[in-house]
Amino acid sequence: MTTGSTGSTFPKWQLALLIGTPVAIGLGYLYWRKSGDQGGDKLTKKRLADLKDKTISLDGDTSEAAGKQQAPDAKPLTGRDLANKHKTDGNAHFRVGKYDLAIREYDAAIEHCPTYEATDRATYYQNRAAAYEQLQNWAAVIKDCTSAIECNPAYAKALVRRAKAYEQQQDLSRALEDITAACIVDRFQNKATLVSADRILRELGQQHGREAMKSKKPTYPSKQFLKSYFSSFNNDPIGKLVVASTEQKGFIKAKALFDSAEYEGIVAACTEELEKSESESEYKLEALLLRGTFYNLIACYEEAKQDLDAVIELETADKRLRSNALIKRASLAMQTEPDSPGECFKYFARAETIDSTNGDIFHHRGQVYILTDRMDDAIADFERAYQLCPTSGIIATHLCYASYRQAAQNRDESAIGRIRKRFNEILDQYADCVECYSILAQVLTEEQKFDEADSCFARALKVEPDNAQIYVHRGLLQLQWKGDIDEGVKLIKKAIQIDGKCEFAYETLGTIEVQRGNLVEAIKLFERAIELARTEMSLVHLYSLKDAAVAQVDVAKNMGLSISNIQPNF
């Protein structure tokens, strides 16, 4: 699997969640986090469904006023009074589903309403938009809501209704801007509006993520990322391969580059090997496996599939090459099809059939089991991996972590105590394994033992002083532990100085800047993280963060507000 925030194969947001990292800033998410902290209503799936399609009510609709007849001797109504009567009659038609008749009455209300009665005119336009909405005439909805907002710029109902119409037309950027404005007008207190904002953010993030993935240029991860990635394989057939030749071309050159961590020339060197004739090429399968591995790492997924599949399907190939290719193919399936883990598990099962002595199969599959919340299966796989690779501190740590998660879910305090003792034994046994310190630090943070967690991160940095991911986690710890934003930001900026390709650092710092009200700076940071992202899932997440910040900047500008005035007080 691909490496995460500490060299682990857990995705960075899974590890970040352990220490309360703010990995999402959807308006609905922020509101419900606050609501939960204050003992508010829980946002269950049923409540989400109830709120999602809740009809926006008409304005000025009172059952008593509806249907009242004018006295025979009364003076004829004019101006505002006549307009109000047409509105009331329109509302009566609306309630019984006679939307065309309702529209005629709202037409008359607008015609007779004095132009200086801006609030009344806004109501009539909004109500007519509601009737058009029932007829699914989205262009008319947008036009009338725009007129209502011109009369009353802080008209939340009109903003929400226009956002819905834009969403129906797949104009998600405008929909997000309108729903963000409505959230600001409602001071982030309207639950239905916040849920809509979160939904639109996700939809827009998915749209932008898909578009970006199609045109994304190959980008090599940082050397630290690649070092962590390859350290998660105990039985890497390329790493263990000994080449006697000093020839500096083809696979021999690729292997030399790999051994010296000069990764960016490897794809070209492997291609050179594969272009040789059969009689000239001694390492075709090794070149396919290594090139496929790097195609995966630089997000050239179709090319990676072709190379890895070529190794997998050659039944006469060395089983170590095939099983390694299958592990990486499983990783690729999980990255490109995260909602369909079945494909991923098929590749692992096939790898086990080919080479059941390869501990990497069980190690990497165990991590997928953790992500899919199958702790019993994860523990079983990690135990088997550790039996096959008893010198691996990373596997020992992941086994301990899976056991901890299971004990925590079961609220088994005695088991938690035993596992904590085992963590300390692992630290003594594998003192140079940075993963041990980092995972334990996150467990300690979850238990709110912040000083011990900070000590673990400090020890991890002594082992790997250039590990940018650990600086990010330690910075986040300062925020949660002491509320020390300055120190937290300082540590995360240190991570960027160490590793300019640390996507996690840019994303996290951008999220902090959003919460500080520095949205323009946050957008720049999210854009840098987007440049470095390798999967569509990461791009969707990052674009959601960026789109939320952009919408707030645009709304503040359009409404003449300062950014600090529109931030919810969380």
Side-chain angles (χ1 to χ4, degrees), residues 359-363 380-390 395:
D360 291 340
I361 298 167
F362 309 104
H363 178 204
D381 263 2
F382 287 139
E383 285 177 340
R384 192 165 176 187
Y386 193 54
Q387 288 170 1
L388 292 166
C389 307
I395 295 175

Side-chain angles (χ1 to χ4, degrees), residues 428-464:
D428 292 337
Q429 188 176 356
Y430 307 100
D432 61 345
C433 179
V434 70
E435 191 83 354
C436 304
Y437 297 107
S438 186
I439 294 292
L440 177 56
Q442 293 173 74
V443 167
L444 290 165
T445 302
E446 186 177 359
E447 295 178 351
Q448 297 190 3
K449 296 177 179 178
F450 300 125
D451 54 343
E452 293 181 50
D454 190 56
S455 176
C456 271
F457 281 132
R459 292 169 71 186
L461 287 171
K462 285 183 179 179
V463 176
E464 285 190 8

Side-chain angles (χ1 to χ4, degrees), residues 70-309:
Q70 184 181 357
D73 56 347
K75 293 182 179 179
L77 297 175
T78 59
R80 185 183 184 190
D81 291 337
L82 179 57
N84 190 57
K85 181 182 184 306
H86 283 298
K87 180 261 296 181
T88 300
D89 292 343
N91 290 354
H93 288 311
F94 185 98
R95 285 196 303 275
V96 296
K98 296 180 179 179
Y99 303 117
D100 288 328
L101 293 177
I103 288 168
R104 290 183 195 174
E105 293 295 339
Y106 298 139
D107 289 344
I110 293 166
E111 179 184 350
H112 291 288
C113 184
T115 56
Y116 55 81
E117 295 289 355
T119 301
D120 287 351
R121 292 179 69 83
T123 298
Y124 306 152
Y125 280 119
Q126 198 278 144
N127 285 10
R128 189 168 71 180
Y132 280 127
E133 179 182 86
Q134 295 300 317
L135 300 175
Q136 297 189 15
N137 186 341
W138 304 113
V141 172
I142 291 168
K143 183 178 179 182
D144 271 358
C145 286
T146 299
S147 296
I149 293 163
E150 287 172 352
C151 294
N152 179 6
Y155 201 168
K157 281 185 181 178
L159 287 163
V160 172
R161 180 161 275 123
R162 190 170 68 175
K164 181 178 180 180
Y166 279 136
E167 188 179 3
Q168 290 294 324
Q169 292 190 332
Q170 288 300 297
D171 192 344
L172 296 176
S173 293
R174 287 181 174 173
L176 179 59
E177 190 170 320
D178 274 353
I179 206 71
T180 300
C183 288
I184 291 167
V185 169
D186 287 334
R187 302 185 67 81
F188 299 88
Q189 297 301 307
N190 187 307
K191 298 175 184 179
T193 304
L194 289 161
V195 169
S196 295
D198 219 34
R199 183 183 69 251
I200 293 169
L201 264 177
R202 287 195 303 271
E203 291 174 358
L204 187 57
Q206 288 167 359
Q207 183 186 94
H208 284 158
R210 285 192 298 268
E211 292 169 355
M213 201 67 205
K214 290 176 184 176
S215 59
K216 188 165 182 59
K217 296 179 181 179
T219 303
Y220 278 81
S222 69
K223 287 187 177 181
Q224 176 62 50
F225 179 98
L226 292 169
K227 176 186 174 183
S228 297
Y229 174 81
F230 288 110
S231 72
S232 69
F233 290 90
N234 285 278
N235 297 290
D236 183 358
I238 303 297
K240 292 187 174 183
L241 181 65
V242 177
V243 178
S245 174
T246 58
E247 181 183 33
Q248 286 300 301
K249 60 182 180 179
F251 179 77
I252 304 298
K253 179 181 178 181
K255 170 61 173 166
L257 291 169
F258 180 83
D259 290 342
S260 61
E262 298 297 328
Y263 299 116
E264 296 196 15
I266 287 176
V267 168
C270 287
T271 300
E272 183 181 15
E273 179 74 22
L274 294 167
E275 289 173 349
K276 293 179 181 179
S277 66
E278 289 294 330
S279 60
E280 293 179 312
S281 176
E282 185 181 352
Y283 298 103
K284 271 198 182 294
L285 286 178
E286 288 85 355
L288 278 168
L289 177 57
L290 187 56
R291 189 176 71 173
T293 300
F294 274 89
Y295 273 146
N296 182 18
L297 290 167
I298 63 176
C300 294
Y301 295 127
E302 289 305 315
E303 293 88 341
K305 289 176 184 178
Q306 291 175 17
D307 281 358
L308 295 174
D309 286 347

